[in-house]
């Protein structure tokens, strides 16, 4: 099945990319979540507008990406969440929470570029990956602390 991505999909592509995926993956995952649209000659014309929007959000220079990576990896970021007495969280730390904490530290990162391996459900220190650029990925140290 030939599709045009409208959102960034990890390990598949970026908005505006034309991808060929298995029918079930496209029909059951990408299309219902509006991550992609079906490819057609008319829809292929939309690729230019999707890619123009992507260019506005992307880090253009590899040197800029390396500078952002250095800022992200330099220290640690505190994420304040509600937790019980035993240290278990009421829910889990989401990528939106991490993006908000990074923005408070002075680095604005799109939440779709943050990759959390296993759900964070207890207090402590964790490491998450942030894809700053297609060639640059940063490892960010998070300290999950209880909100007061």
């Amino acid at each position: 099945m030939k599709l045009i991505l409208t959102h960034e999909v990890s390990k598949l592509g970026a908005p505006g990319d034309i991808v060929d995926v298995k029918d079930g993956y496209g029909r059951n995952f990408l299309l219902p979540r509006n991550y992609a649209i079906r490819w057609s000659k008319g829809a292929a014309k939309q690729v230019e507008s999707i890619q123009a929007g992507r260019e506005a959000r992307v880090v253009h220079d590899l040197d800029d990406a390396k500078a952002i990576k250095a800022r992200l990896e330099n220290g640690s970021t505190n994420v304040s969440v509600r937790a019980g007495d035993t240290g278990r969280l009421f829910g889990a730390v989401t990528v939106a929470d991490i993006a908000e904490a990074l923005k408070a530290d002075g680095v604005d990162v799109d939440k779709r570029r943050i990759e959390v391996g296993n759900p964070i459900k207890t207090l402590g220190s964790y490491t998450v990956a942030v894809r700053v650029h297609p060639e640059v990925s940063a490892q960010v140290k998070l300290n999950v602390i209880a909100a007061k």
Side-chain angles (χ1 to χ4, degrees), residues 1-130:
M1 173 179 280
K2 205 170 188 182
L3 299 173
I4 301 171
L5 295 178
T6 56
H7 290 81
E8 185 167 338
V9 180
S10 183
K11 299 178 184 167
L12 186 59
D17 289 348
I18 299 173
V19 295
D20 196 18
V21 297
K22 295 199 177 198
D23 291 343
Y25 182 58
R27 198 173 44 245
N28 297 325
F29 181 75
L30 296 174
L31 291 175
R33 288 176 173 80
N34 294 323
Y35 289 164
I37 57 174
R38 292 187 184 272
W39 182 88
S40 67
K41 290 180 182 177
K45 294 177 184 176
Q46 292 179 337
V47 169
E48 292 177 15
S49 66
I50 292 171
Q51 288 178 339
R54 178 176 74 177
E55 287 295 320
R57 291 187 305 269
V58 74
V59 176
H60 294 287
D61 195 356
L62 190 61
D63 294 332
D64 291 340
K66 288 180 181 177
I68 292 171
K69 176 184 176 178
R71 285 177 51 197
L72 287 171
E73 291 182 343
N74 237 356
S76 62
T77 301
N78 292 331
V79 180
S80 181
V81 293
R82 290 185 35 199
D85 295 334
T86 61
R88 282 201 49 90
L89 304 183
F90 299 127
V93 176
T94 64
V95 291
D97 296 335
I98 297 169
E100 186 177 308
L102 288 172
K103 189 172 187 176
D105 284 351
V107 181
D108 193 15
V109 176
D110 187 13
K111 69 180 182 180
R112 291 174 288 215
R113 297 191 173 273
I114 300 172
E115 296 175 353
V116 179
N118 293 326
I120 299 173
K121 295 187 174 189
T122 58
L123 299 176
S125 296
Y126 297 91
T127 303
V128 296
V130 177

